[in-house]
Amino acid sequence: MHKTYLLDSLDELRRHLAQSHEIYQVVPQSDGARADFHWQQVGGGNWPDLVEQKPLQSPKSFFFAEQEPLYVFDGETFEEVLPTPMPFVLFGVKSCDLMAIHYQDIFFEEDPYYQARRKQGLLVGVDCVTPCEQGFCQLVNAGPSVRDDTADLVLHPLDGQRWMLVVLSAAGEQALHGLALEEASPEDLHQRWENISHCEQSFPRYPYILEGIDKLNQHAISDEFWQQLGIQCLGCSGCTTLCPTCSCFATRPIESASSQQTSVTQVRFWDSCLYESFQREASFHNPASEAGQRVKRFWYHKFSDDFVPEFGRYGCVGCGRCEATCPGVIGVHSVMKRIADDA
Amino acid sequence: MLNLTPVPIKIVDCYDDGENTRHYQFAIQETEQHLSPWLKAESGQFFMLCLPGVGEAPFTFTTLPNAQGDFRALVRRMGSVTDALFQCGVGDIIGARGPFGRGWPMERLLNQRILIVGGGCGIAPLASVINQLIDSQQFIQLEVVYAARNQAALMLNPERARWQHLIPIFNVVEDMAGLSDGEFYPGTATGILPKVLHTFGEQPDTVLLAGPEAMQTAAAEYLVAYGIDPKSIFLSIERRMHCAVGLCGHCYLNEKYVCSHGPTFSWAELLQYDIAC
Ligand SMILES: Cc1cc2nc3c(=O)[nH]c(=O)nc-3n(C[C@H](O)[C@H](O)[C@H](O)COP(=O)(O)OP(=O)(O)OC[C@H]3O[C@@H](n4cnc5c(N)ncnc54)[C@H](O)[C@@H]3O)c2cc1C
Ligand code: SF4
Ligand code: SF4
Ligand code: FES
């Protein structure tokens, strides 16, 4: 049984965590016409409310940096450059994004750069009590409630402005040390399960997603279909950038010269399997020269049974961001609907 | 935890060996502790060559690292990294990471009938296995097919000349201009297979292929039609690589990564993937 506590407000918890951690939270950010929600450092006694909206960007870059140095060459030797972030808390991560972090934890298990960041991060999840727009986390076992092995602490909104705090890991328990908290009652626990089950039942059914996954795994989708979709893909990499489980990268050197010497830093940066040059070899042989092959690759990586043995689940966590960002019609809903109807 | 940082290596020697191709000898400039992973390198595995300020690219060992950290590789000039290498001189320090990937299935080659087919630069990943077999003499029969486009494209000339005295070598060249019949056969690697297979008393137990993907798949299909089990045919697959350790995604082949699950695969494994060529 997990320890569960009650909080009258989130401030006391954040104040406590802030003594030893930097705190990041999703805050609204409006750039003129449209409002978005982004991860940002918060603090200084001014704690913003937890927003219900899912942020445009998942917290992927906290652990798998958009660009980072790998090593430096000074003319004679190569020195590894590992990141050294301060301990930090991601406060209020949605269940789907937590599942994506869990997925990346497995993928990057042996990656020293990812792990150097990851060991500094404490994950405070939050259960969703209403389905988000285009989300289908419940179909891929990623939400709407936080899974037991994906966070350190979980928040759940109860009635009367109160919150329930669930401790899921030893790191979570350790982080609460020194904070006197009242334990939650069986009624509060009951309320959590009621809320979650109500939320699960309020999701639209999206039967075409399950049908699409099934067809994909039966290999029942024609190459012509993928080719058609490939032609519609602009190769903009919006989906791969926003998808919380996408993790492809490329490397390149950056030279810097000081008065004494020139040094070279090898950096890695996010890449996209949808780019034409992704697999192009120096000889110009390109095993993925067709746009259709590349789009097919993306969707297989998210939904093929072939990847399940390694990760215990599909690559998609149901956040719906690909749909929200694609300027064409290549998000998960559009693609799966078309597969179900006519692939 | 993985280590993605290169060790410094020195260019010890190099000579031209085929059109735009050089055979290099490198020496790892490191302590014993850094050397130990390199001493475990296997034929068919590869390393990343790092030209600081230019980039990294994968190459196979033609000679595996020895106790002093010396190893060799045959490099064909194709783009920025190889251009920069060709501009370096003996004594220059560059970098290397490795060894990576899965090598040839050496345990299947012991006291067997073995056919080896290399096309163009594809002879590079086969060189060390051929040398190892010849040196140990632990085979029943060993024959090598080497295919090149024309005279200028013939590679590993000194090595092939040495092998020629010890085992049957079939050198096939598409454009025979300047070459004599007798020593060379006109045609392609797949074209000569019927003749080569005929020289085997019993059909080969294991076949190793390396070279352009289209050549390898055509040869594999022919060998299967001839009656060889797809599990006994091994290919060396090339893909664009950035990390070499199964993280960057570039070298994908279905749910596998060529850098870590390959570059050698059995034809039986590859038949399950959509290998596009
Ligand atoms: C396992 C393996 C073993 C190999 N063994 C050998 C061998 O023994 N001998 C041999 O001669 N060759 C070998 N090759 C082929 C060799 O790796 C390539 O020819 C080599 O990458 C050429 O590098 P380059 O600098 O000439 O090419 P470049 O095109 O300049 O590539 C250099 C760098 O840029 C990247 N790059 C390539 N194309 C692009 C692009 N379109 N956009 C952005 N970046 C790009 C590459 O990934 C690499 O990081 C091997 C390849 C593999 C996969
Ligand atoms: S996909 Fe599910 S877990 Fe993610 S924000 Fe939407 S409702 Fe919440
Ligand atoms: S594929 Fe789309 S819905 Fe699935 S995790 Fe990625 S962005 Fe979210
Ligand atoms: S080279 Fe990066 S995954 Fe194979």
Side-chain angles (χ1 to χ4, degrees), chain A residues 277 280-283, chain B residues 46 55-60 74-83 121 124-125 237-242 263:
Chain A
S277 65
R280 199 202 305 137
E281 293 161 23
S283 62
Chain B
F46 68 97
E56 300 188 326
F59 296 91
T60 30
L74 183 75
V75 179
R76 190 166 150 77
R77 187 178 196 154
M78 292 297 287
S80 53
V81 172
T82 46
D83 267 350
C121 225
I237 296 300
E238 203 173 303
R239 282 291 178 276
R240 169 98 170 261
M241 290 181 184
H242 281 269

Side-chain angles (χ1 to χ4, degrees), chain A residues 71 73 76 78 80 107-113 115 247-251 253 255 264 271 277-283 285 287-288 293 296-297 306-307, chain B residues 1-8 50 52-56 78 93-95 213 238-240 242-243 246-252 254-255 257 274 276-277:
Chain A
Y71 57 81
F73 179 70
E76 274 171 28
F78 296 85
E80 186 178 51
F107 185 74
F108 285 116
E109 191 181 1
E110 294 296 321
D111 182 273
Y113 307 92
Q115 293 300 342
S247 58
C248 287
F249 63 83
T251 51
E255 268 186 62
V264 174
D271 202 355
S277 65
F278 190 74
Q279 284 212 316
R280 199 202 305 137
E281 293 161 23
S283 62
H285 171 234
Q293 287 173 295
K296 176 177 172 182
R297 163 69 187 177
D306 292 343
F307 294 91
Chain B
M1 244 357 102
L2 290 165
N3 182 354
L4 300 179
T5 308
V7 294
C50 314
V54 186
E56 300 188 326
M78 292 297 287
I93 300 282
I94 53 176
E213 212 160 285
E238 203 173 303
R239 282 291 178 276
R240 169 98 170 261
H242 281 269
C243 72
L247 292 173
C248 74
H250 280 265
C251 67
Y252 70 79
N254 281 35
E255 82 278 14
Y257 292 117
D274 328 301
C277 46

Side-chain angles (χ1 to χ4, degrees), chain A residues 11 33-34 36 43 63 98 108 117 142 160 167 171 179 183-184 208 221 234 268 273 297-298 304 328 335 343:
Chain A
D11 291 3
R34 60 190 206 130
D36 270 331
F63 307 113
L98 287 167
F108 285 116
R117 291 196 167 81
V167 182
L179 197 62
E183 282 190 28
Y208 50 84
I221 304 166
L234 304 178
R268 73 175 178 190
C273 63
R297 163 69 187 177
F298 178 89
S304 166
V335 168

Side-chain angles (χ1 to χ4, degrees), chain A residues 319-334:
Chain A
C319 68
R321 288 188 176 93
C322 48
E323 189 75 45
T325 188
C326 182
V329 279
I330 322 195
V332 71
H333 292 282
S334 324

Side-chain angles (χ1 to χ4, degrees), chain A residues 20-60:
Chain A
S20 47
H21 295 77
E22 289 175 350
I23 313 253
Y24 293 85
Q25 198 178 305
V26 174
V27 295
Q29 211 173 52
S30 128
D31 60 356
R34 60 190 206 130
D36 270 331
F37 296 87
H38 290 276
W39 283 96
Q40 211 171 73
Q41 193 172 350
V42 294
N46 174 23
W47 303 109
D49 288 340
L50 271 193
V51 294
E52 255 200 63
Q53 285 81 351
K54 175 179 62 199
L56 181 65
Q57 306 246 5
S58 76
K60 148 168 109 172

